[in-house]
Amino acid sequence: MRYIPHRPTPGGPPIDATAPRRIRVAAVPAGHPYTRAVTDERFVDLRADPPPPGAAPGQWWPPQVLLPEWLDAHADEIDVVHVHFGSESSSTEELSATVAALRRLGLPLVYTVHDLENPQLTDQGAHRAALAVLLAGADEVTTLTAPTAAEVERDYGRVSVVIPHPTLVDGTALPVGRPHAGTRVGVHLRDLRPNIDGVGTVATLVRAVADLRARGADIEAVVRLNENVRDPDAAASIDALADGTDGVTVERAARLDDDALAGWLADLDACLLPYSHGTHSGWAELCYDLAVPVVGTRVGHVAAQHPADFHAFRIGDPVSLERAIVDATAEGWSVAGSDARGAEIARRRVERLDERERVRQAHVAVYRRSMRTEHAA
């Protein structure tokens, strides 16, 4: 595998500034925050998502870029197609037709393996079939962590460029949280999508908090859900588990926007990630930016994103969660609202912006390499 260091040192090879024009990239999806974060606009012309017929404003799915007829009509307007998310909108046969159209048109395909397991699905059969098609057809493959690249090579025979997940936070002012007397742990269950084990996580958390408080720990936990959830029965069970439990509060409210979410996370001394399956986590990246330690399940390769900040527990094992919470909150900078956390956030901000510049350079290099690939007719 080719590896872009997760903690890059200053310097590195400069980008060739003499390129005649920007590389025209049709990304799927172009409007996603991750896609924008990895795009160096000095050298890349990221084309807007084509709106699907009849779609609401801002809706990019089902992705039109994957349609052979769209590619035929716009082939002279793009240089590279880069797929990140959205393949679940197409069948395996349709994705095969996409790859064939790209080959026929001489357009390179770059594929980033974000998910070896799709967090939006329970049955992974269709997702694995899509992976096989896209990985076989891609001119360049990237992924976010070395363990994922090893799985891709073992299971699909493709070598990946490992390019770490960059910060998605713009600007310089990040919240440090509000100081509070005890340890505050939180878990956001969002809309209870398929890879979130809300009931199992809350049951484990309730027991862990009770045990820690019985031993004299000053700890409280907050469980948050979106107002609209996919599994109302699970939401009712979560309410029942927390009802009358000292030290555990359930919040049910509208979905937080980006700034409000950052503020909510910053108030925590540790954030639980309640995943039953998956590969990587954008939430782990935001927690790293905010210097909020992560307590998570060992699914996929989330632990490889920021190993020093990751503390593992097992759903159904409150002792493992107790230990993870104690370990996570032992760091001197982890206390919300403290000067130490503010200093750690500032240190990481410099590191992350430097890393994002290198991530963007790495993507430019991948695009240029893909454009030099000989395409079969």
Side-chain angles (χ1 to χ4, degrees), residues 300-314:
H301 301 298
V302 179
Q305 291 176 244
H306 298 284
D309 265 12
F310 186 89
H311 307 269
F313 81 102
R314 294 182 298 279

Side-chain angles (χ1 to χ4, degrees), residues 89-373:
S89 297
S90 304
S91 68
T92 305
E93 292 74 17
E94 289 168 335
L95 290 174
S96 296
T98 301
V99 170
L102 290 169
R103 285 282 176 263
R104 173 171 49 80
L105 296 167
L107 288 171
L109 171 64
V110 175
Y111 181 49
T112 295
V113 183
H114 291 274
D115 301 309
L116 289 166
E117 294 184 308
N118 191 317
Q120 303 289 350
L121 303 174
T122 300
D123 184 349
Q124 298 296 318
H127 180 66
R128 293 192 184 100
L131 275 174
V133 171
L134 291 170
L135 285 167
D139 298 279
E140 291 284 334
V141 179
T142 78
T143 191
L144 311 182
T145 57
T148 306
E151 280 201 53
V152 169
E153 187 168 8
R154 182 195 68 200
D155 295 342
Y156 299 94
R158 292 303 306 266
V159 173
S160 307
V161 182
V162 179
I163 308 176
H165 193 305
T167 179
L168 303 186
V169 178
D170 289 320
T172 56
L174 295 177
V176 299
R178 297 167 294 185
H180 33 80
T183 298
R184 182 176 171 86
V185 176
V187 57
H188 199 315
L189 304 176
R190 291 179 270 178
D191 66 350
L192 293 174
R193 72 184 188 184
N195 80 321
I196 288 180
D197 185 349
V199 174
T201 298
V202 173
T204 309
L205 179 61
V206 164
R207 176 63 184 275
V209 168
D211 289 349
L212 287 168
R213 288 169 70 94
R215 296 202 298 270
D218 187 359
I219 182 172
E220 63 177 13
V222 56
V223 178
R224 187 177 180 95
L225 299 87
N226 290 353
E227 198 168 45
N228 297 315
V229 297
R230 306 189 197 188
D231 190 340
D233 290 340
S237 296
I238 289 163
D239 285 335
L241 283 166
D243 185 37
T245 301
D246 288 340
V248 180
T249 303
V250 175
E251 300 175 350
R252 186 83 178 267
R255 181 181 181 274
L256 297 172
D257 64 22
D258 291 346
D259 290 341
L261 174 60
W264 187 86
L265 289 171
D267 277 344
L268 305 178
D269 298 312
C271 176
L272 270 63
L273 299 183
Y275 303 143
S276 60
H277 64 274
T279 308
H280 299 117
S281 170
W283 283 58
E285 298 295 334
L286 179 55
C287 285
Y288 186 81
D289 286 324
L290 298 170
V292 176
V294 166
V295 174
T297 53
R298 283 201 178 279
V299 301
H301 301 298
V302 179
Q305 291 176 244
H306 298 284
D309 265 12
F310 186 89
H311 307 269
F313 81 102
R314 294 182 298 279
I315 293 174
D317 182 357
V319 173
S320 72
L321 181 53
E322 294 166 36
R323 184 168 53 247
I325 291 171
V326 170
D327 290 347
T329 56
E331 300 288 353
W333 47 259
S334 66
V335 179
S338 68
D339 291 341
R341 176 176 280 186
E344 180 65 12
I345 290 171
R347 184 194 70 78
R348 292 185 182 188
R349 192 67 189 143
V350 173
E351 167 199 282
R352 293 283 270 170
L353 291 176
D354 177 69
E355 178 182 62
R356 187 168 67 182
E357 178 64 21
R358 288 174 173 266
V359 164
R360 290 173 173 176
Q361 291 181 15
H363 279 83
V364 173
V366 166
Y367 295 149
R368 289 182 175 166
R369 193 163 53 245
S370 74
M371 292 166 65
R372 293 195 296 267
T373 303

